[in-house]
Every structure is written in structure tokens, then in C-alpha cells.
Amino acid sequence: MASTITGRPVVQITGLHKAFGDNHVLKGIDLTIHEREVVCVIGPSGSGKSTLLRCVNLLERPTVGSVQVLGVEMTDRDVNIDKVRTHVGMVFQQFNLFPHKTVLGNLVLAQVKVLKRSTEEATAIALRNLEQVGLAERQAAYPSQLSGGQQQRVAIARALSMDPKLMLFDEPTSALDPELVGDVLAVMRDLAQAGMTMMVVTHEMAFARDVGDRVVFMDDGMIVEDGPAAQVITNPRTERARVFLHRVLHPTEVDDAELGQTDEIRAQAHPPAQRSRGLLPGGHGDAAVGPLKHKDH
Amino acid sequence: MSHDAVTTSPGELDLSSPGRMSPRQRANLTRGIQYGILVLVVILVAAKLDWQSFNDNFLSLEAVRKVGGRVPRALGNTLIYTLCAFILSLSLGLVLALMKLSQVTVYRWLATAYIEFFRGLPALMVVFAVGYGVPLALGVKLPNNITLKVALALGMVSAAYLAESLRAGIQAVPKGQVEAARSLGMSHGQTMVSVVIPQAIRIVLPPVTNEIILLTKDTSLCYVLGLTTAEYELAKQAREVLKEPNGGITAFFLIGACYLIITLPLGFLVRRMERSFGKAK
Ligand SMILES: Nc1ncnc2c1ncn2[C@@H]1O[C@H](COP(=O)(O)OP(=O)(O)O)[C@@H](O)[C@H]1O
Ligand SMILES: [Mg+2]
């Protein structure tokens, strides 16, 4: 992926705040995602990643600020939100396939109901997308008969069947058994290589580094770092990102003295310039991230 | 935390409890006692029963022959009354459930008021009201059709119960299902019809079955409307039979058993449906 960004902006977020009652979850987010760009969002649990993603297709309504998707102001109360959503695919951590429909039924439903395609056309498109995620032969199965990895690939195919211009992923591999993660990531990488604009919340650092054009590090409702994927992951500028990445990449090395320190660090606007030991020594980052297994279908 | 446990050598649990039965022995004993009681009761009943009188009253073939011809029509009427009442109950119950879940406060109030009102009244009073009270009070003249009146009265009562079950079923469908459908561009209505309600139906199948069975039995209340012979349902027919000389209790029980002819297959059907839903869950 070239990091030179030329495409039109697909998502333009400015001054976005979101509060649930007294809980101020997003505190002024500015983010632009261009056509064909893959932006990975990383950060500690509870930092507001999902909320940010859900503000893009308005599953959450922003409290303050502007969210423009494909040139449409999403916060405008009179916007035809259903129409915009047909262009924005979303993939959930828990798959959320329709359990009462077969795999094919899952892919056909919205095409027929929303896009008013004929059943034949919708079926043909569905099968093409199932082919793409390697599950054409499971079209008659019910979701409960599939593994988590297969369900998530069906969910991706379901979103793709609407011919979206933007795909949102919310920790798509976090609910999967480790050996099933690779298949889903491979599908996502193929999609990225085909030129799809993607916003991916993930803890898969190898994926973020290898497939992402940009990585956005969020903490406490703010974007703390935003830069080229390799740079943010292997050589973060801020202490907060360094601590987070160290904990994700070396989970067994968190020692007792460090427990709870993320909270401390978060509380300090400018963390101490140096710590007793380097948390992410240069050069070791690559080894820790590891290669992304290539998998062909 | 006894000292014994500590002093036992490692790898050897001391399980000996002198004078006590093992759990398996105790379970066997309990089961033996239960069978014993059953056998005892059967023997006592058989000994105390006046078999001659039992045969005359319960197994009189003559009585069966006498009423047999009238049973199918009564059974058919019960079925029709139940079916019509259930159709109204389901439609109205679904509307009430959606009203209770509505964003519009007034709809929620109206639905709650309706449900509380009709749950609180005895069904018999509602049948009476529909038959006599309301036409008098409001000056509306219902067509003199028993099926319509029964369906209206029982359907309105049953809808109040069903609405609560349906609402609970709809709310039990995970939020992620709605989000998935909405993120595909489906409208609120499309999501309800194609995603939420089909899944809610699976959830509410047992309480809805219950409601049908209750309705079947409640059709017996329609006697207060004054039925012609052709309109008799099972319970009314049974009462008439009892009045006849030497009609005997046989015919009465025969007609009673007809209720089971309705409810037993229904239960069977529902269990089969639940099993077939199994993999689509
Ligand atoms: N629907 C909601 N209602 C109330 N609070 C919410 C809701 N969704 C998220 N939150 C709160 O917002 C914060 C950020 O959540 P989230 O965006 O899910 O974080 P992340 O995805 O980074 O783990 C959390 O404190 C969470 O409790
Ligand atoms: Mg999240």
C-alpha cells in the first residue's frame, strides 16, 4: 500500500464529541479517510473506538460535531440515513448474522428489500461474494452450523453484497478462536488490495502494520497519534502509545510494578520523558509483531 | 477444614463414613419408596371402587351411541370459535406489543391501559358485555353471529395477555440483530418485519401455545350468549347431555375428552416446530 493519499475524502469527521449522559466518551475527534485508504484504529479498551466507528454510520448519534460520509452530512436530522447506510458496510465483533436465515438468505435479504434487486440478481451477487470469501459451498447452511471464522466471512460477504463504498470493521477477529483469525484477516486484506476504503478497529497489530495505510491511536476519547501504519506501530511518538503497544505485543512482560500504570499515564498530560526501561526497544517491534500469514483461497 | 483431612497422606482421600449409604444406594431406596406408594394407591382404588356403577356410568356404550352423532359438530364449533378468537388475539396482541414499544408516549399509555383493563376482568364478564352490555350501552347492533361475538370477546381478553408475551419476545431479540439490519440500510419497519418478529416468534412459541390452549377452554364461556343447538360447542353440549335421562356421565366424559383431541396434537405440533427451529437458532 502506498501511503501517498490522493483520493477524495470518504469520511470527514470534525470536532466530534459524544457523551452518554455524564460519560464523555469522544472528546473532539478530527479524522479524514480518503478513497481507497485503509485506516486502522487501535487503543485501549473503553477509549471510544467502537463509539467513533458507530458515529460514522450513525448507529450512535454524535452529541456535537460534524460527520460527513460520501459528501453527506450524517448529523443532519433530515438526511435519508437508510440510503447512506446502503453505501457503508459494517462488520461487528459478534458477527450478528440473522440466525433464522440461511447464509444465502442473509446475503439476499437487504439486497431485495432495500436495493429492490430481483431475487435472481441478488442471489447471483450473493454467490459471487460468498465465492470471494471462500464459502460458496456453505450457502444453504444456517449460521449456527458455521464456525466463528466462517460466520464472520459470511458477515463480510453480506456487507459486500450491497456494493458499499466504505467498510467499517469493529474488532472483527476479537471473538474468534486464534486459529480462525487468519482466514478473516486474509479476506480483509484481499478487500484492501482490491481498493476498498476501510476503517478497521482492531487489536491485530500485524494486520494494522501490513495492510493499514494509516494507524490512529486513540486513548480516553481522543486521537493521540495518527500516522503511517509502520511508524505508529513500530516507532510511536507518544508515551501512551508506547505503553499500549508494549502491553499488546508483550503481554507476558507486564510486571507487578507496572500494574495500573496505564491509568496513571493517562492522567498525566505529559508523561515522564524517560522510564526505567525502554518499553518498545527499536528493532524489536518487527519481531514482536510477526508476519501476517498469507492464505489463498 | 478438619485436622483429619490434613493428616491423611497425599493422594488418599478418606471417604469412609461408617453406617451411611452411598449416594447411589440412597437414590435406589428413594425410587423404591416412590414405586411402592404408587402400587399401594392403585390397589386401594381398585378395591374401593364400585365396579358395577363405574361400568354403567363411564363405559355405557348405549350413551355413546346416543350422543355420538352430536359430538363432531360441537367439536367443530369449539375449533372455529377458538381459531377466530386466536386470529383476533394475535393481530391485536401484536399491535398492542408494538404500541408498548413505541416511541410515542400516548401509544404506550393506551396499550398499558388496555392490557391492565382486560387482564383484570373475568373473561365471562367480557363475553357478557359483548353479548348484551355493549350493544345496549352504545346502541351498536352487532350482527347476530355467535362466532363473531365469541371471537371478539375472547380475542380482546386474550390479546391483553398475548401482548405482554409478544413484547417480551421482541425485546429478547439481541440488539445486534437490529444494528446489523439497520447498517444494511433496512428501515425500522423492514427490520421489524424481516428480522425481529421472525426471531421473536420462535421465542414466544411456548407462551402463545399456552394462550391457544387457554382460549380453547374459554370458548366454553359462550353459553351465556344463548346458543341454538347448531351453535353448541363442546362444553354446552356436555351440559345438555347431562340433563338427558340415562344420558349418563359416559357421554359427558366422552365430550370432555374431545378437548384433549385439540390440545394434545397442538402440543405435539409445537414441540416439532421447536425442534425444526433448532438449527436456525
Ligand atoms: N450505548 C452506550 N451507553 C452508555 N455508555 C456507552 C454506550 N456505548 C459505549 N459506552 C461507553 O463508552 C465508553 C467507550 O466505549 P467503546 O466505544 O465501546 O470503547 P472501545 O470500543 O474503545 O472499547 C465506555 O466507557 C462505555 O461504557
Ligand atoms: Mg469496542
Side-chain angles (χ1 to χ4, degrees), chain A residues 77-96:
Chain A
R77 291 199 172 256
D78 291 320
V79 81
N80 184 345
I81 192 66
D82 295 334
K83 190 79 186 292
V84 185
R85 280 177 179 153
T86 62
H87 299 291
V88 182
M90 187 162 204
V91 175
F92 301 85
Q93 184 175 347
Q94 298 298 339
F95 329 135
N96 294 351

Side-chain angles (χ1 to χ4, degrees), chain B residues 42-69:
Chain B
V42 169
I43 289 173
L44 274 177
V45 167
K48 284 281 170 197
L49 213 61
D50 178 347
W51 285 101
Q52 185 53 48
S53 156
F54 182 84
N55 278 342
D56 288 349
N57 281 313
F58 286 86
L59 303 172
S60 149
L61 280 179
E62 193 215 343
V64 171
R65 225 172 290 126
K66 252 180 72 193
V67 300

